[in-house]
Structures are given as C-alpha cells and as structure tokens.
Amino acid sequence: MSYQAPKGTFDLLPPDSATFLAVRAALSAPARRAGYAYVETPIFEDTALFARGVGESTDVVSKEMYTFEDKGGRSLTLRPEGTASVLRAVLEHNLHRGALPVKLWYSGSFLRYERPQAGRYRHFSQVGIEAVGVEDAALDAEAVLLAVDAYAALGLRDVRLLLNSLGDRTCRPAYREALQAFLRGLDLDAETRSRVEINPLRVLDDKRPEVLRQLEEAPLAADHLCDDCKAHHEQVRALLTAAGVTFEDAPRLVRGLDYYTRTTFEFVHDGLGAQAAVGGGGRYDGLSESIGGPALPGVGWALGVDRTVLALRAEGVEPAVDDPVQVFAVPIGPEAVGPLFGIVTELRRAGIRADLAYGGRGLKGSMKAADRSGATRALVVGERDLADGVAQVKDLTSGEQVAVPLTELVARLQEELR
Ligand code: AMP
C-alpha cells in the first residue's frame, strides 16, 4: 500500500524547502521593519465569515471552499484567504479601539478547491499584511512599497505592478450600473449573464478571448471616480512615483473578492504562464461592516509564496538560504561515539552548525555522508585519538588534516569558521 499527497498539494522537501523558508522570511521582512506585528488565526473559521467577508458571488466562496460540518454540527471552512480572519480577530479582540492603524502580518497555509495546474494548488502558502482603522492614501502607498521592496530584496527583476482604483460607496454604485447596462447588451453565456447581475466587476476579469473581445468598449471605474476617490488615487500614485516605484495603470484590474474599494493592485510575473499573479491586494473599506463590525477602513495584501518561488526559478535567481552544517563528526568505532556526541553538542551550543554520522556506518560511508552534508570540516575521532586527547580536523575542500587537542577544539573551530 502506498499513499500520495492529495491532488493539488505537494510536499516541501530539502533542498527546495530552504528556499521556501527564505522566501517567506524575505516577503515579510519589509513589513516587520515598518511596524507590522505578527498575527496568527485558526486554519478554520465559521463558514459564514468567509461567505460574508469574501462574498457569496465570488468563485472562492461559491466553488472553492473546503467546507465541512464538525461533530458538534457547526459549519466550518478551511481558510481560503487571510483578510476576513484577521479582521474578525481585530474586531473580536477590540484591537481597533487601541492605537490606529492596527498593523499586522501573517504567514501560513490557505486552501481552495481549485483546478490544479502549474502555480495553482489546493494548498498554498501566503504572506500577508493588513493595516486597519485608518483611511489614508499614504497607508495604501506604504503597503504597495513593502511588497515592492520584498520582491526587490529577493532579487526578482521582472515583477510588474498593476494599479487601479475601484471607487467607493459614493461612486461605485453608478459605475456598477453603467457597467451592467453595457454588459447586458453583450452576447454572453448563461453563467456570465448571471454574474453580470450579481458581481459585474468580476466579468472584466474574464480571460476568454470571445468575452475579452466584447469588453473592449466597457466603461471603466477610473472614468467614474468621485472627487474623493480621484484625489485618493492621485495621492497614492504620487507617493509611489516619488518613491521611485514603477507601476502600470490597469483600468481593467478588478479583484475576485467583493470587499475591495478604491486602491487595487496586483503584482504579475511574466515568466509564470497562465498563473502570473504573484501577489495582490488593496483597500477594503467595506469588509468590517459586511462581517458585522463598525465602519472600519483597511488596506492590505497577500503575496503567494509558491508562485514567488516559481518566479525566482524562472529568473534563475537563488535566494540566500540558511547555510548547511559546517562541521560533520565521524566516529571511528563505537568508543568514539559518546565523546564525539559530546563535542558536537558543545559545538552547536557555541553557535557552530554541526552534525554527526549516526548508525555506525564505518569510515567510508561516514566520509561520504560528510561530503554530502555540505560541511567544510570533518572531525574524525578513533580510539587512538581519544587516547591522545585529540581530534583529526579534516578540511573537506583541501583534504588537509591536522590533529587538534580536544581542549582547544571548540575555540579553534569557532575561530576558523567565523
Ligand atoms: P488572492 O487571495 O486570490 O488575491 O491571492 C493572492 C496571491 O496568492 C496570488 O497572487 C497568488 O500568488 C497566491 N495564490 C492564490 N491562490 C493560489 C493557488 N491556488 N495556488 C497558489 N498560489 C495562489
């Protein structure tokens, strides 16, 4: 009998797993430097939170949720995204009654029942930020910049930033109607026609050529913004320009989630084929009220860790990852195991990355393991060395070997490997 990881999922194994960890850390680093604090929420929530907070009419809610009933008869859903959960936590714990904005970042697994393909999985990993409680264009610009800096720090060159404004509750309704009136006149299939009635902005996101062709003349949100939304958007653009950020105005950019208002942005990478979005976000001033909270503005993003790794690979960029072990200890004979085990422990406590050949493999097999480990030094110790109170320190690059007194070993290696 053998099992495989479920469809649409994959195991993260060495050495690639080190890249994932490095990417996760790099994606959140700029936010951590900007006052965002870590938040962790449960991997499942009441189904209603996502139905309300993401929107019944979105694909995420209508088609992609992992929903189940627990033994107590509650309807729970594995989280498909992070924003609704984070905002739920902010409201539940009254963080919004403290200093504003509440700035939070998160990192974790998200689950969507999607059709798996390259870059699209059922279990994937995101790093995200949310800044809640303040309506300020500078906060939108900060959010965008933190993502721009994260990609830049990883060494990604071909990420494009697409920027749009979707308006707010003042101007969006009129735009929505204008768009609906236009879309009703098109030749669309039944499913898309019903989407026109429920969530017309999403129709602009349709990728099918026969639909795209008909959308060329569609009214755009940018032409229907009220004065406040226009001023907000201009300020975001000006701050980003002043910060040296290159962006493309993307008047057709909408987000798959209902709660976005005003600033909307997406990062795309052209080396990824169909699943080009490496991250996205925007302002969601309507979300709090839609999940039963007070009026509370917010802005944030979620960056896909998996796709960022794919983008790095597409560009041939290797992020700096944690180094392998520096020292590999090889006991010759069972008497050497105990003393070397002690030495390895001492080395690790002194900050040196060290490993030991386990399993009594013999010298040849153990030296092979030392080579494979990536260590630059092998510590070879046999019965005679123990009697002499020394360890043989072998430089695995040059092959040179010297006997070092055990009493000086840790200090010597610390010095050499600094
Ligand atoms: P979203 O929450 O849909 O805005 O997604 C934000 C980012 O998460 C996207 O830009 C992707 O990089 C990543 N992402 C979303 N869904 C998936 C998925 N099914 N598989 C892999 N990455 C995903």
Side-chain angles (χ1 to χ4, degrees):
M1 182 173 62
S2 71
Y3 294 105
Q4 293 179 338
K7 184 173 177 187
T9 71
F10 60 89
D11 299 306
L12 261 181
L13 303 171
D16 295 346
S17 50
T19 307
F20 265 78
L21 274 186
V23 168
R24 264 193 204 132
L27 291 179
S28 63
R32 286 182 274 131
R33 285 195 296 269
Y36 289 74
Y38 182 65
V39 63
E40 195 165 314
T41 60
I43 202 140
F44 55 81
E45 297 271 359
D46 283 343
T47 299
L49 174 70
F50 298 122
R52 302 235 175 79
V54 179
E56 310 257 17
S57 68
T58 59
D59 284 352
V60 169
V61 171
S62 62
K63 299 185 187 152
E64 298 171 0
M65 294 210 301
Y66 281 95
T67 297
F68 61 99
E69 196 171 287
D70 75 0
K71 294 188 199 308
R74 301 169 193 88
S75 179
L76 299 173
T77 292
L78 302 182
R79 60 183 185 189
E81 58 104 50
T83 305
S85 303
V86 170
L87 203 63
R88 194 264 311 135
V90 166
L91 295 171
E92 180 175 342
H93 303 287
N94 284 315
L95 303 187
H96 60 297
R97 296 194 203 279
L100 298 179
V102 182
K103 286 176 157 191
L104 300 168
W105 74 275
Y106 61 84
S107 169
S109 293
F110 295 87
L111 300 111
R112 294 181 195 174
Y113 190 77
E114 303 214 59
R115 191 150 8 117
Q117 61 184 94
R120 189 159 79 187
Y121 313 107
R122 291 183 173 172
H123 172 273
F124 56 98
S125 177
Q126 289 183 340
V127 169
I129 65 166
E130 314 294 350
V132 176
V134 171
E135 160 64 71
D136 185 340
L139 211 47
D140 304 33
E142 174 181 278
V144 172
L145 257 171
L146 295 176
V148 167
D149 284 355
Y151 291 129
L154 278 167
L156 277 178
R157 291 175 302 268
D158 301 334
V159 179
R160 289 187 292 127
L161 165 58
L162 311 179
L163 186 66
N164 193 20
S165 172
L166 297 176
D168 66 2
R169 67 185 75 197
T170 309
C171 50
R172 177 92 147 261
Y175 169 61
R176 195 175 186 275
E177 262 172 44
L179 182 62
Q180 266 175 333
F182 171 85
L183 294 173
R184 284 182 192 130
L186 302 184
D187 177 20
L188 300 168
D189 59 281
E191 193 186 339
T192 312
R193 276 206 308 274
S194 76
R195 183 174 292 157
V196 168
E197 301 311 317
I198 310 165
N199 192 350
L201 267 73
R202 280 280 283 114
V203 179
L204 292 180
D205 213 13
D206 206 307
K207 302 282 188 290
R208 293 170 296 177
E210 68 273 20
V211 179
L212 273 178
R213 220 174 308 122
Q214 300 185 69
L215 291 176
E216 270 166 31
E217 303 291 315
L220 299 172
D223 300 324
H224 289 76
L225 297 182
C226 58
D227 288 345
D228 284 352
C229 283
K230 234 183 255 171
H232 184 100
H233 194 51
E234 280 317 309
Q235 201 187 341
V236 174
R237 296 175 80 257
L239 286 166
L240 290 177
T241 304
V245 174
T246 309
F247 56 85
E248 297 168 30
D249 288 311
R252 281 161 205 281
L253 178 70
V254 293
R255 306 270 301 145
L257 312 178
D258 271 353
Y259 49 68
Y260 284 95
T261 55
R262 293 191 169 174
T263 308
T264 295
F265 53 89
E266 194 159 80
F267 294 93
V268 293
H269 193 280
D270 295 325
L272 295 185
Q275 304 304 315
V278 288
R283 186 158 271 290
Y284 46 81
D285 295 348
L287 176 57
S288 173
E289 285 153 288
S290 72
I291 60 169
L296 198 62
V299 60
W301 47 242
L303 310 182
V305 178
D306 315 82
R307 285 191 204 162
T308 304
V309 171
L310 293 177
L312 285 166
R313 242 175 246 160
E315 286 194 29
V317 180
E318 285 280 335
V321 297
D322 266 358
D323 295 326
V325 293
Q326 298 164 289
V327 175
F328 197 91
V330 174
I332 305 174
E335 318 68 37
V337 172
L340 261 185
F341 189 88
I343 290 170
V344 164
T345 302
E346 228 187 302
L347 287 171
R348 290 173 181 162
R349 288 181 179 157
I352 292 172
R353 297 187 299 279
D355 199 1
L356 178 70
Y358 290 99
R361 256 175 300 188
L363 184 60
K364 201 161 152 224
S366 297
M367 288 310 289
K368 213 187 227 167
D371 279 328
R372 261 202 304 257
S373 74
T376 56
R377 299 284 188 287
L379 274 190
V380 187
V381 173
E383 212 174 340
R384 220 181 52 220
D385 300 307
L386 289 174
D388 295 345
V390 299
Q392 305 295 329
V393 178
K394 182 168 183 183
D395 185 323
L396 289 171
T397 321
S398 66
E400 216 173 284
Q401 185 168 309
V402 288
V404 176
L406 293 177
T407 48
E408 296 168 23
L409 192 60
V410 174
R412 275 276 284 271
L413 285 170
Q414 259 182 322
E415 179 72 18
E416 284 180 31
L417 296 172
R418 219 173 20 188

